[in-house]
Amino acid sequence: MAATYTPCPDVRFFLALNYTSIIYRPLTQFEVDLTITWSILFTIILIPNALLVGVICFKRSLWTHSSVLVGSLCLANILFCFLYILPVKIMVIGNSIHPFTNIYCQLSHNVIQFAFVCCMNFHICSISLEKFIAITSPFWYNQISIYKSVMFTSILLVCWILPAFVAFLPLIIGWWRVCPYFCLISEIRENRKISLQAWHIFWAFLMFLLPTIITIIFYVRIFLVAKDHAIRIRTENQTNSTTTSSSFGLKAVKTVAIVVGVYVLLQTPYNVYQVINVLDKSLSRKLNKLHIREWLFYLASWNSVASPIIYGFFNKNLRDGVMSLFWRCKTVRARASSSSTLLS
């Protein structure tokens, strides 16, 4: 027996009835305000991420595994801006007579959003794994090895391919079907409620809970290793190591607290709401009237601003690369102004 799906509306039918507002709908005041706030965030995300990607690409000394992972995260943030924030939140893509626009509208809300958020969170998890390997196996980490290159290449491929595959999974297994002439996903009728609940819970688990748990475990292990290193320094050199070891341990605590704290603070509310939205419909309806989901996702998207700033600041090579770029620009500007003064 063939599976039955929810019906796919057709904008051409509504246009034939002169319901042009289904395509040419004016934006509400809330949508206008939302567009402005997302436009500001779009610009703020682009600046630090594009800066780090540029520094990593043009400075050969930064072509290390650590910097490449950070650069890949910044690239994911930039693509998230252009493939999701720009068309969905700023241009407010909607129903159209063109099938491509309708299909992209459906995929952007259900597939592209999940794929990029999951991809960025996987990158953050991978960076914690890289730092854990660097501090627990420094001799192996600093060696030039084909196995190490293969491992980090595999990590990058997992960060990009796995989220994309899982995001398209409901379409692959037949839970969803795209509607070419309306911005609405057609869902399978059989066990629709159970499938929707299972998907959203799995969404929250894979997109947030699993990367968060792994990231916290790795950073706690990094902190314990750093603490053990500080204790060993203190025992080996009793005379002047108290200040050094305490500062070393304090720096480790600050790093773990900032990296994990900012990530959890920005991401947790939205993912908790996603689960509530499926399990408690009455509560979700009340929250939807206040546009809670929109603002929580806006808050979670600020992680795309925080992550390049945090990882760029705590990575000495990246920090030095950014500072050298600023000094170079300042020197070029000073030379240009001095030459213009001499010519005048």
Side-chain angles (χ1 to χ4, degrees):
M1 181 178 179
T4 57
Y5 292 85
T6 55
C8 279
D10 194 330
V11 293
R12 296 172 298 181
F13 171 78
F14 295 100
L15 290 176
L17 297 176
N18 205 26
Y19 291 139
T20 56
S21 60
I22 200 166
I23 295 180
Y24 308 106
R25 181 181 63 85
L27 298 179
T28 63
Q29 185 59 46
F30 173 75
E31 290 173 330
V32 172
D33 296 338
L34 205 61
T35 300
I36 296 172
T37 56
W38 277 103
S39 300
I40 295 171
L41 180 59
F42 176 86
T43 306
I44 297 175
I45 290 175
L46 277 184
I47 293 173
N49 285 284
L51 179 63
L52 278 184
V53 170
V55 169
I56 293 170
C57 289
F58 292 106
K59 195 163 185 180
R60 193 175 181 84
S61 61
L62 292 176
W63 293 1
T64 62
H65 294 111
S66 176
S67 299
V68 168
L69 281 174
V70 175
S72 181
L73 170 62
C74 294
L75 181 62
N77 290 331
I78 293 171
L79 291 176
F80 174 67
C81 279
F82 284 104
L83 296 180
Y84 181 78
I85 294 179
L86 182 61
V88 177
K89 301 299 183 181
I90 298 177
M91 298 173 63
V92 194
I93 188 173
N95 293 316
S96 172
I97 59 173
H98 303 291
F100 174 79
T101 305
N102 291 314
I103 293 172
Y104 192 87
C105 177
Q106 297 165 62
L107 296 181
S108 62
H109 290 287
N110 297 279
V111 175
I112 296 176
Q113 176 189 350
F114 171 84
F116 276 108
V117 173
C118 191
C119 175
M120 291 182 287
N121 290 348
F122 273 31
H123 273 87
I124 293 173
C125 179
S126 299
I127 292 171
S128 66
L129 171 62
E130 181 269 335
K131 294 185 181 299
F132 175 74
I133 295 173
I135 198 170
T136 55
S137 305
F139 296 107
W140 180 85
Y141 181 83
N142 292 320
Q143 289 177 350
I144 300 175
S145 171
I146 186 67
Y147 301 107
K148 187 175 70 172
S149 300
V150 169
M151 185 188 73
F152 279 101
T153 303
S154 302
I155 290 173
L156 276 177
L157 291 176
V158 168
C159 288
W160 285 97
I161 295 175
L162 182 60
F165 173 76
V166 175
F168 280 96
L169 191 59
L171 290 168
I172 296 172
I173 64 178
W175 279 4
W176 297 346
R177 192 173 60 179
V178 295
C179 297
Y181 289 100
F182 207 88
C183 181
L184 179 69
I185 284 282
S186 177
E187 300 172 345
I188 192 169
R189 289 182 182 274
E190 186 180 0
N191 298 324
R192 181 186 176 191
K193 184 178 179 180
I194 297 175
S195 301
L196 189 65
Q197 289 179 346
W199 172 245
H200 278 83
I201 293 173
F202 177 72
W203 179 336
F205 172 76
L206 185 67
M207 187 173 67
F208 171 71
L209 189 60
L210 180 62
T212 301
I213 292 173
I214 295 175
T215 301
I216 291 175
I217 289 173
F218 280 136
Y219 275 113
V220 169
R221 289 285 297 141
I222 290 169
F223 167 70
L224 294 176
V225 171
K227 184 180 177 182
D228 181 63
H229 180 64
I231 293 173
R232 273 186 282 145
I233 292 176
R234 186 183 304 168
T235 55
E236 290 174 2
N237 188 2
Q238 293 287 342
T239 56
N240 59 350
S241 65
T242 304
T243 306
T244 304
S245 60
S246 61
S247 62
F248 187 81
L250 184 62
K251 183 180 178 181
V253 172
K254 286 182 178 179
T255 303
V256 172
I258 292 174
V259 172
V260 177
V262 171
Y263 171 76
V264 172
L265 181 67
L266 294 176
Q267 294 280 338
T268 302
Y270 174 74
N271 288 279
V272 170
Y273 175 82
Q274 283 291 94
V275 177
I276 294 175
N277 187 39
V278 176
L279 299 180
D280 193 341
K281 286 295 182 182
S282 60
L283 179 59
S284 67
R285 291 191 193 98
K286 296 177 183 177
L287 296 175
N288 285 332
K289 292 179 181 178
L290 301 174
H291 306 288
I292 298 297
R293 182 184 183 276
E294 188 66 42
W295 293 119
L296 289 180
F297 183 67
Y298 182 78
L299 175 66
S301 298
W302 274 91
N303 193 56
S304 297
V305 179
S307 55
I309 295 175
I310 291 173
Y311 292 118
F313 177 79
F314 283 110
N315 190 316
K316 186 179 183 302
N317 294 328
L318 285 176
R319 188 170 66 245
D320 293 342
V322 172
M323 293 305 298
S324 66
L325 179 64
F326 277 123
W327 282 112
R328 187 178 301 176
C329 293
K330 189 175 181 180
T331 304
V332 171
R333 186 180 298 178
R335 287 177 181 175
S337 61
S338 62
S339 61
S340 62
T341 304
L342 290 173
L343 290 174
S344 61

